[in-house]
Amino acid sequence: MSRQLARKSLLSFSIKISGAVFGFISLYFVKINMGFEAVGMLAFATSIMTFFTVFGDLGFTTAHLKRRGDNLDVSKCNGTIISIKLLLTLLMGIIVLLWVALQKYFFGYEFESRDLEIIVYIVVFQYLILNIDGGFRTVFMGNIETAKAQIPRFFGRFSVMLIKIGVALFGASVIYLALAELFGALVLLSFSLFFIRDYRISKPDRKYLKLYSSFALPLVFVGYVSVLSQNLDRVMIGYFLSVRDVGIYSIPLSLTQVLLLVSTTINYILIVPFSDHYNKKEFTEIQRLTHLAEKHISLILLPLVIFIFIFAEFILGFFGDDTTPSVSILKILVLATYINATMRPYDAQFVSAGKLKLAFSLGLIVLSTNLILNIIFIPKTFLEINLLGLGAEGAALALIISFIIQSLLARYFVYQTTYTRQNMRLLFHFLAALITYFVVLHIYSLVQVTIVSSVFYILLVPILFYGILFLSADFSSKEINFFISIVNPRKMKSYIFKELQVNSKNDD
């Protein structure tokens, strides 16, 4: 069971990481040829739109994953989530259009440029399509069918990359970058419509709507707090500073968010088994899965964290000589990302256990902390009060402090809920990371990194890190065999083709 879940997690992560690679390639061409302003426009428009995505979900995606773990009628569950997502897409569209009208005609708000305004409209349409697609992909995730949920992302992101590179090279308007994202959303929807055709889908009834609503609606506040926390920094940078500063911040943020794909992927897959074990009061199994997930997240991420932290300037140098202001931001964000990622398996327990008020309270504390710290750290003045004026770097500091608070609180409350203790074996990971860091840093002072020597460092960091853990027996032949098994190409191919070919009408 653990290997099958891990294989699904690996497939999802591999596809997401390939999408991130495509994103980095297009980001490189956009930044080099069009500057920070183009990067900032897209990031700012996306961050604004993300605030409204909560109305397109209202907690029903997580509710479906929860109810699919409750052994209900599969066809009615499928029909319920698809119907709800279609209605919520309409609701989200109406709310966004009302907001735009109020901002423009009532409050007199003017966008920084006409291009930025058009980009916002395109991004709105893109997210409406993604929300419809989300209903179908939630069905696949409810069946833990990772291949159907994720493989279309590969083709979507690849097509977006090609279009963005063309736009950047031929010097077209930044508006076409937003149109590329819209095209990618249409690709995803097309695949989902193809895959969903053989599924059993029944008309939802009042009982199922009530079952979903009773779990989902309390999640609205949890989800909205989460969305605000994830996008607050870019919006506040844009408000206090400029879209160029958003671009300076967004490049390191994009690099570090890739690391979160590991924990996010595992999180979605854990919700269903967590829910089943919680219903059966199998807290020991919940603790085992939590520690296992946290351990694997840490094993995968720490070598990457060490490499990025040491060679931040070299990495950002690929995006141009003017990326120096982003170096300190990247170092802070990569540490913040690790803290956030290793906390995710604990956070997943709140939803699985139905502790939504607790999850909301925790999220509200973190959001409030992040908001206050952003106001203190980013601007030089606010309401005629002199503040720190750290700019984009201040937003990164606010984020890491917020994540530390969130991680400590989540771990404490999880122990109170499911008696899940802390995984003390991670102390060996930290010790191995520190030793690796100082050894590589010393070698770096003697041998400067170049494109050629970077290959040496890319190999050196994981060899040192895993070697130290091997000596401490925290990375044994058991873990090596586990990873070899889940990355086995033959088994992965068998899993993908089996899932894509099986008639889902028979999947109960």
Side-chain angles (χ1 to χ4, degrees), residues 63-71 74 77-78 142-143 272 508:
H64 179 74
L65 299 180
K66 165 69 175 172
R67 294 311 181 199
R68 282 293 282 112
D70 292 342
N71 297 317
V74 176
C77 285
N78 293 342
N143 287 350
V272 175
D508 292 328

Side-chain angles (χ1 to χ4, degrees), residues 171-203:
S173 168
V174 66
I175 294 173
Y176 288 97
L177 298 176
L179 288 173
E181 294 287 353
L182 175 60
F183 177 78
L186 290 170
V187 171
L188 287 178
L189 181 59
S190 299
F191 272 100
S192 293
L193 289 171
F194 176 78
F195 286 136
I196 203 71
R197 71 194 191 286
D198 290 329
Y199 277 66
R200 286 166 42 182
I201 301 173
S202 300
K203 182 180 178 181

Side-chain angles (χ1 to χ4, degrees), residues 251-268:
I251 289 179
L253 184 66
S254 298
L255 289 168
T256 56
Q257 280 187 331
V258 176
L259 306 186
L260 275 181
L261 295 178
V262 179
S263 57
T264 303
T265 301
I266 292 175
N267 238 34
Y268 270 114

Side-chain angles (χ1 to χ4, degrees), residues 432-451:
L434 284 173
I435 295 173
T436 303
Y437 169 75
F438 285 113
V439 170
V440 175
L441 193 63
H442 177 68
I443 297 174
Y444 179 37
S445 66
L446 302 174
V447 182
Q448 291 298 306
V449 63
T450 62
I451 294 178

Side-chain angles (χ1 to χ4, degrees), residues 409-423:
L409 291 175
R411 292 166 188 274
Y412 171 77
F413 286 121
V414 158
Y415 176 73
Q416 299 295 318
T417 305
T418 60
Y419 315 109
T420 301
R421 298 180 181 274
Q422 300 310 304
N423 187 2

Side-chain angles (χ1 to χ4, degrees), residues 89-267:
T89 299
L90 178 62
L91 173 66
M92 181 171 71
I94 292 172
I95 291 175
V96 172
L97 292 176
L98 285 175
W99 174 81
V100 171
L102 285 173
Q103 291 291 311
K104 189 172 182 179
Y105 301 110
F106 185 77
F107 294 107
Y109 174 80
E110 294 185 5
F111 290 96
E112 192 170 316
S113 66
R114 176 60 177 168
D115 283 353
L116 180 59
E117 182 177 359
I118 295 173
I119 288 171
V120 169
Y121 297 145
I122 295 172
V123 170
V124 168
F125 191 33
Q126 171 201 345
Y127 271 78
L128 293 177
I129 294 173
L130 287 175
N131 202 63
I132 296 173
D133 174 69
F136 301 123
R137 286 191 295 110
T138 302
V139 171
F140 306 144
M141 289 189 294
N143 287 350
I144 320 184
E145 294 178 321
T146 307
K148 291 179 181 177
Q150 297 300 332
I151 284 180
R153 293 174 63 93
F154 177 89
F155 296 100
R157 297 315 304 170
F158 182 73
S159 60
V160 169
M161 177 192 71
L162 294 180
I163 297 174
K164 283 188 172 182
I165 291 175
V167 171
L169 291 178
F170 289 101
S173 168
V174 66
I175 294 173
Y176 288 97
L177 298 176
L179 288 173
E181 294 287 353
L182 175 60
F183 177 78
L186 290 170
V187 171
L188 287 178
L189 181 59
S190 299
F191 272 100
S192 293
L193 289 171
F194 176 78
F195 286 136
I196 203 71
R197 71 194 191 286
D198 290 329
Y199 277 66
R200 286 166 42 182
I201 301 173
S202 300
K203 182 180 178 181
D205 55 30
R206 182 173 297 181
K207 173 188 173 183
Y208 275 71
L209 290 172
K210 185 176 180 180
L211 282 171
Y212 272 62
S213 300
S214 63
F215 187 84
L217 295 182
L219 273 174
V220 173
F221 302 103
V222 179
Y224 195 59
V225 165
S226 177
V227 168
L228 284 173
S229 297
Q230 293 171 13
N231 296 276
L232 186 65
D233 45 11
R234 281 163 290 179
V235 172
M236 294 192 73
I237 291 171
Y239 175 77
F240 287 123
L241 304 175
S242 67
V243 291
R244 185 178 189 278
D245 291 287
V246 177
I248 291 172
Y249 184 83
S250 295
I251 289 179
L253 184 66
S254 298
L255 289 168
T256 56
Q257 280 187 331
V258 176
L259 306 186
L260 275 181
L261 295 178
V262 179
S263 57
T264 303
T265 301
I266 292 175
N267 238 34

